[in-house]
Amino acid sequence: MLAGRRILPGVAYLEMLRAAGTMASGRPVTAIRDLIWLHPLEAGGKAGATSVRITLAPGRTVETVDGRVVSPDGRTVHAEGRLSYGTLDSDAPEPIDLTAIRARCPEELDGSACYEAAARQARAEATGLVAGPSLRVIRHFRLGDGEALSELDLSSGAGDPDPDGMLLEPPLLDGALQTVLGLEQGLLAHGDTMHVPFSLDVSTVNFAAAWSPNFYSNSGCVAKYAMLRPPE
């Protein structure tokens, strides 16, 4: 929700572009690069439904395609990015020691406290930005020095990835971004400045590989890890 308007989560564009690129080429999209969110899309307006067009054009190399999500009349570009079909260096993410990370992240918040902190920031800046129920997936948040760990409860609908269905689940992706924002903003510091992402790179292959038993806690939640790195 943004100022009382139902806005489509920006992460939904990732799955739209991935699915369109895969269907158009017959090959799986392995990465989405340089995704930029340009104009919000109000979902379910007065007519009760919202339509968009997805356009694909040849990229700079034979292994890339430029994709856009635009309004039906083509005048408004909601998001754009570069789809890649090439082979990545690795099909699996690097092993993550969750026990060690928890030990390095001593400060804790439960999910409800996280969203209360986000609501305070929204009120302080009068943005009216509030995560809807399906996107309030953080069950537990831990913060350390330059790193954070969240447990995401996906019981509201996100399931195992299906090669013939939805891979980049919006609740899971949004929960991952919320973890990054919680780290960058320092939710435990109760700051009064709210930041939102402008662009993003996603490896769809690594994202699918992340659905492994090692990424689940005993409670059935997915663990998401974020670390701040110096700019290159």
Side-chain angles (χ1 to χ4, degrees):
M1 296 289 288
L2 179 61
R5 300 162 57 205
R6 294 192 299 170
I7 302 300
L8 185 73
V11 291
Y13 298 125
L14 289 157
E15 177 62 16
M16 290 181 183
L17 290 170
R18 182 206 67 82
T22 297
M23 288 188 291
S25 68
R27 297 187 296 161
V29 173
T30 56
I32 301 175
R33 307 293 189 196
D34 304 324
L35 179 81
I36 300 176
W37 291 288
L38 296 169
H39 194 279
L41 173 64
E42 187 167 2
K46 295 181 180 180
T50 302
S51 299
V52 296
R53 287 197 299 124
I54 299 176
T55 65
L56 302 173
R60 286 174 286 182
T61 70
V62 295
E63 292 294 331
T64 62
V65 167
D66 294 329
R68 284 185 165 189
V69 180
V70 302
S71 60
D73 61 9
R75 296 179 180 178
T76 301
V77 179
H78 297 289
E80 62 183 13
R82 179 163 45 90
L83 313 182
S84 297
Y85 297 97
T87 302
L88 299 180
D89 294 336
S90 173
D91 290 347
E94 297 179 1
I96 292 178
D97 188 340
L98 295 180
T99 301
I101 295 171
R102 290 189 182 101
R104 297 196 303 268
C105 297
E107 300 180 84
E108 302 180 56
L109 277 180
D110 63 22
S112 59
C114 287
Y115 295 110
E116 288 172 4
R120 284 196 301 270
Q121 292 173 337
R123 288 193 298 269
E125 296 195 349
T127 62
L129 181 61
V130 179
S134 66
L135 298 180
R136 297 181 186 181
V137 295
I138 292 181
R139 183 170 179 176
H140 198 78
F141 178 81
R142 303 180 69 104
L143 182 66
D145 183 12
E147 57 186 344
L149 181 69
S150 287
E151 287 187 356
L152 309 182
D153 184 356
L154 305 179
S155 59
S156 61
D160 293 340
D162 178 356
D164 298 319
M166 184 175 292
L167 172 62
L168 302 178
E169 295 273 7
L172 182 56
L173 267 178
D174 208 77
L177 285 181
Q178 291 171 26
T179 302
V180 174
L181 295 177
L183 168 60
E184 194 273 334
Q185 295 173 214
L187 279 177
L188 293 169
H190 305 297
D192 59 1
T193 299
M194 176 175 289
H195 299 142
V196 293
F198 171 72
S199 64
L200 185 69
D201 283 1
V202 171
S203 163
T204 63
V205 171
N206 285 348
F207 191 87
W211 289 88
S212 66
N214 293 333
F215 278 72
Y216 284 82
S217 67
N218 292 333
S219 62
C221 295
V222 177
K224 281 301 170 186
Y225 173 62
M227 178 178 66
L228 290 182
R229 297 177 177 173
E232 298 179 355

